[in-house]
Amino acid sequence: LRSAVRTPIPALASLCSPGASMAVASQAKDYRVCVLGGGMSALAAVEQLTQMQSRLEIDVFCELYDPCEPNHSYGFGQKPYVDYVPEFLASDGPEFAAQMREWEREGLLLRCGENSVIQLGVAEGHNNENQRFLQRQRYKPKGGAMQLCRQLLRKHATSSAGTVRVRAEQPWTISATTRGGWLVSFGKAPQEHYHFVLLAYDFCWRLTHVKAIRELLDSGMPHTKKLIGCFGELHAAKCLALTFSVEPPLGRAVTWDAALVHGNPVLKWAFRSHHCEAAVWQRPRGAEHWILLSTSEHSQERFGVRWDKQKAGQEMLDMFAKVAGVDISERQVRFVGNPYHWDLPAPRNRPRGELGLLADAKHAIGWTGDFCVEPTPEGCWLAGSRAGHILAGALQSNGQVDFGHLSDTELLPPWEYHPMRFGDEDLAALTFSATPAASAYRGTCNWEQAEEIMLDRFKHGELADSDHVWFDHLPKNAQQEFARKRKLRARSSTVGSQQPDVHRAPARLVSRAAAEAAAPVVAHSLRVAVVGSGPAGFFCAEVLAELARLGKASLDGPVHLFRSRSKLSATQMETDHNTVYPRPGEPFFDYGCQYITAGDPWFRAKMEASEAKGFCHRWPVGVLSRNAGYEAIEPAPGWVGVQGMWMLQEQMFEYLAVQQGKRLKLHHSVARWPPSPGQRFNDHSPLRVEKYSKNTDGTWTLENGNGDRFGPFDVLVGAYDSHTHTNVQLQDPATRRMREYLHANLRHSPVITAMVIFQRPLALPFNAAYVIGDSRLAWVSNNNMKVSKNVAFKAGGREFWTFMAPAQYSCDSFGSDGKGYKQRAFNDFVTAFGEILGMDLWSHSPSLVRALHWEAGLPCTTLPSNAGCLYDSEQRLGWCGHWAVHGSVEGAALSGRRMAELIAGVSLGRPPPVDAEYPEGMWPDIGHRAENGYVRLSNGFFYLQHPRLKSIPPPISSLSAVDTEAFWSQHAAWGFGGTARSQGSDKGHLDKGHAKGCGRWRQNVDKCSAAPSEVEEWTGQHQLRPQRRWLTARGRGGH
């Protein structure tokens, strides 16, 4: 997905002359990384590495020797195609857009008019206007794109204090060492050892010749064989290219700078190449220069043995004059070099997974570039950022590389074709505007070593059944064998079915003839509704909208998301009800989600983007025990909201929703959103959608408390797991199977939480800690310390602490005494915390603001498959949540993402995974997912490591749907025979809540601060009545 790592640019390096670079003083580092290439992806990768790893020494080699072009110099263009760079920079996502605005502020980019690029002609799916402007925000690099990366390096020349060095030497060869890592040779100069080699090459931003990369990888054989073999699956677009100069310049006779041409195979993309000192090929200097590119279909038709280059060039020139509406017969036109058949302008496919790099973990070598995402400037940036992020997490202090949960197949994956889409500019127009068959001729990557490895893979049966590799560069007998097997595969996949084989669409084909024989792609545009307030629901909707934008999903209209409050909304101010949105500056408690970590690169990128926006920040935590005291976990492994978790959720979701625009429609349980400080989120607002009905035509209709109806929708997704809510809301016969499946298998571990104010501050030297070795306490957190430095927390000298109990304590305490557990928890928490610290905390005047029991706090069981979500094909009903992956914010987000990807596949005609359709077997304990750096603790799953922090065993007790029903039915609670509501959240009763931090509950705070003996004497007489009122009249909460 195109979500990306986005953080401000740090220092990169000093630009040094040959030899001088070696004299730069640097501190001793654990790990040396060699980056080969100085383009945009290299820059982004180094930026991430320097931000995330302080123990690295990174050498960047921009000057790579190419025997075919020995005079090539970094940052200068000798030829218009070999040294091709973009004329404009644009972005479809927020991360690169923010980066360009930053470069604009630094004076490196100029903002262009929105009418710089025009569409000419009529394309399928467009209206009948002959021309229209492609209105996007674009930028032009000052001095041209050739120099932008060089300027960025110069700008940050002295900031890294020698950590990163930009080297001017030309590496000649690379060779693997027996002790691990690589030796890089510089000819007569001594070889240098590196623990990891990262190559960087961008098709759309060519500051390095691709043949230079190939030469270096060839020199590293056989240790580079896997990397080369994977890259050999690349299928390149083809085109005819023409560069010409015109005098006098066309100037304003052509009102646009670039044009995307539709419906004309002779001309696909035309742009005015503005004068740039770095573009050496621009001669004569006083002339105006233009570059024209044809479609792949046209180049296949014109190209051949002894093809007439001049005739083809004149044909393109005439078509340009026609579409531009100019007469060039009176002007002097010169071809800059011969018209050119471009074998490798841009890739048609990319490695599956979009990790941003190919990597051979065993041999410590990787390759990043826009081919890993898409051939655009944004693709360069995203690929490098992702590659640097993943690599930074993989480098070990012992000199080894460990990519954790990423398998060899994910690091060196098969390739998949980009879906067709319209409106792309520059080289991306060649990638996305036609089927792969249009350029199915004249080899793939024109690399002899790669072709030999691919043939070897084919002979060993590795690719015999593949349809995503294009093979026309192989010997004829191998081509014929491949074609024969693919025909058999295509036939067998359609026997007995009315549906075509769409698993691999658009088709990965060997030739144009095969393209014509292939089954067509059938898309089913879907109308989708998602109900859920937390990360699972939101990211399901957001990812699905993004997939639709990228052409990876076929949707009819926007994705509709219905929200109220979630467990991530669990932030409460001292004297207000927990449904009141926090007011800046007022002290608060986070009493639900306490800490967010990220082991998955995609989710980590989401969190870091939020961090860059100022919504959250990394927060140090540690491990606390009676014997060892406090032990910090370094570096800080996760994030908290700078103003609490609820505000983080709303700010993050608002930001991402704005990026999706009209592709995502939000429906809230409040009349005004984004929320304002002090706004109340009524738990049973009539705006909440709670009724789902199946129509006779198989579609869904949703209805809220006001009787407003929404729909029809082809697919409905639920993203909440409380048995109370599913018991009420899954009443339609079409939802019965999903309801019964969840109720029969999903069990929860309750969590008891207490919010405590210490009138006299404890002044402890830590923020928060996971408690080990105590049966009463699992987590402690000082909310005063959560806010960022520029955010007020007006606590008046007091400290606001959140305590959480271990899973087993929560089960036992609530089960044995559903009335007295709150006061007992307060007593146990303060006493246990004091014993661990060796302090008398009762002398600090603690007072209990609120204690609660999350009956569905954390999932105990999970799916008996790795689908990450559920889907009912018959009813077109999906369900996702953290229970399907692992119990955390990250787990919820990943489940939502998998749900979105499943629906996207369904929209394109692919059947959903079998293991997502009510997988059979007993649901296992969710703890078995605690691997590859994750630990399962009493308050959730976390991606962090500490030698004494171990996953907890499965709780002996847990709550099923039967347990939930038995408990709430005896009180005739909402969802189980009654309609009782918590008065504390009813309109007109703002001062009558009894269990959520307001009204009579607050009147008794002083008595809660008594000594333990006094508390025991008073508990049964005063404190439990308002708590009993809450238990018997429990509000509905949020999804």
Side-chain angles (χ1 to χ4, degrees), residues 747-751 807 811 854-860 938 955 957-959:
R747 300 182 67 91
H748 292 96
S749 169
V751 177
C811 287
W854 291 92
E855 101 223 18
L858 291 166
C860 280
S938 292
S957 304
S958 60
L959 300 178

Side-chain angles (χ1 to χ4, degrees), residues 533-698:
S533 304
F538 182 83
F539 283 110
C540 174
E542 191 262 345
V543 170
L544 187 55
E546 179 68 8
L547 290 174
R549 186 188 69 79
L550 296 173
K552 293 184 175 181
S554 179
L555 301 183
D556 183 0
V559 182
H560 291 255
L561 175 62
F562 297 84
R563 301 185 64 233
S564 54
R565 289 198 311 130
S566 74
K567 292 178 182 176
L568 196 54
S569 307
T571 300
Q572 178 179 329
M573 294 176 288
E574 177 183 2
T575 59
D576 283 285
H577 194 267
N578 66 317
T579 57
V580 177
Y581 193 64
R583 286 181 285 265
E586 289 201 21
F588 63 82
F589 298 91
D590 279 330
Y591 63 93
C593 172
Q594 297 294 301
Y595 201 59
I596 302 174
T597 60
D600 179 83
W602 168 80
F603 183 67
R604 187 185 304 120
K606 293 289 187 184
M607 292 305 303
E608 289 182 334
S610 295
E611 182 181 9
K613 285 291 180 182
F615 306 152
C616 60
H617 61 153
R618 286 201 179 256
W619 201 49
V621 298
V623 177
L624 182 66
S625 64
R626 191 188 304 263
N627 295 330
Y630 177 78
E631 302 169 276
I633 301 175
E634 296 179 342
W639 299 265
V640 295
V642 297
Q643 298 183 74
M645 291 300 194
W646 190 357
M647 195 169 290
L648 163 63
Q649 172 182 268
E650 301 306 312
Q651 290 175 330
M652 185 178 184
F653 289 3
E654 178 191 0
Y655 170 69
L656 293 173
V658 168
Q659 307 310 311
Q660 292 301 332
K662 295 182 179 179
R663 293 181 294 271
L664 179 60
K665 183 172 180 58
L666 302 183
H667 305 265
H668 299 279
S669 64
V670 289
R672 185 178 65 253
W673 193 89
S676 58
Q679 180 177 341
R680 183 174 293 273
F681 279 67
N682 195 329
D683 276 343
H684 29 268
S685 164
L687 298 178
R688 267 181 44 159
V689 163
E690 293 182 347
K691 183 178 180 181
Y692 323 135
S693 303
K694 198 70 181 291
N695 304 318
T696 55
D697 63 354

Side-chain angles (χ1 to χ4, degrees), residues 760-840:
R760 293 177 51 224
L762 305 184
L764 298 175
F766 60 85
N767 301 324
Y770 299 95
V771 179
I772 60 175
D774 193 283
S775 62
R776 299 159 292 180
L777 197 57
W779 168 265
V780 296
S781 172
N782 185 352
N783 294 278
N784 299 53
M785 304 302 293
K786 279 190 173 182
V787 299
S788 60
K789 294 180 180 179
N790 60 343
V791 175
F793 194 92
K794 301 174 184 178
R798 302 168 299 162
E799 288 184 354
F800 287 61
W801 284 79
T802 298
F803 298 99
M804 284 188 166
Q808 197 58 52
Y809 176 98
S810 299
C811 287
D812 295 343
S813 181
F814 184 77
S816 61
D817 184 1
K819 295 181 178 180
Y821 79 92
K822 299 177 184 235
Q823 197 59 50
R824 181 169 55 252
F826 171 57
N827 183 24
D828 286 346
F829 289 167
V830 174
T831 301
F833 194 29
E835 290 174 358
I836 295 171
L837 296 173
M839 297 172 59
D840 177 13

Side-chain angles (χ1 to χ4, degrees), residues 928-973:
H928 84 279
R929 299 195 189 277
E931 55 187 11
N932 298 324
Y934 291 90
V935 290
R936 186 253 191 116
L937 303 176
S938 292
N939 56 333
F941 273 68
F942 299 92
Y943 184 75
L944 46 79
Q945 293 82 41
H946 187 276
R948 298 196 313 108
L949 198 59
K950 307 297 182 183
S951 290
I952 64 169
I956 298 174
S957 304
S958 60
L959 300 178
S960 66
V962 174
D963 300 323
T964 304
E965 181 176 4
F967 179 81
W968 292 115
S969 294
Q970 63 181 319
H971 304 296

Side-chain angles (χ1 to χ4, degrees), residues 237 260-261 268-269 293 295 346 348 375-376 421 423-434:
L260 179 64
V261 183
K268 186 63 184 177
W269 176 251
L293 305 178
T295 64
R348 273 268 158 84
T376 63
R421 66 192 198 203
D424 288 280
E425 305 173 18
D426 214 323
L427 297 184
L430 303 177
T431 292
F432 297 112
S433 63

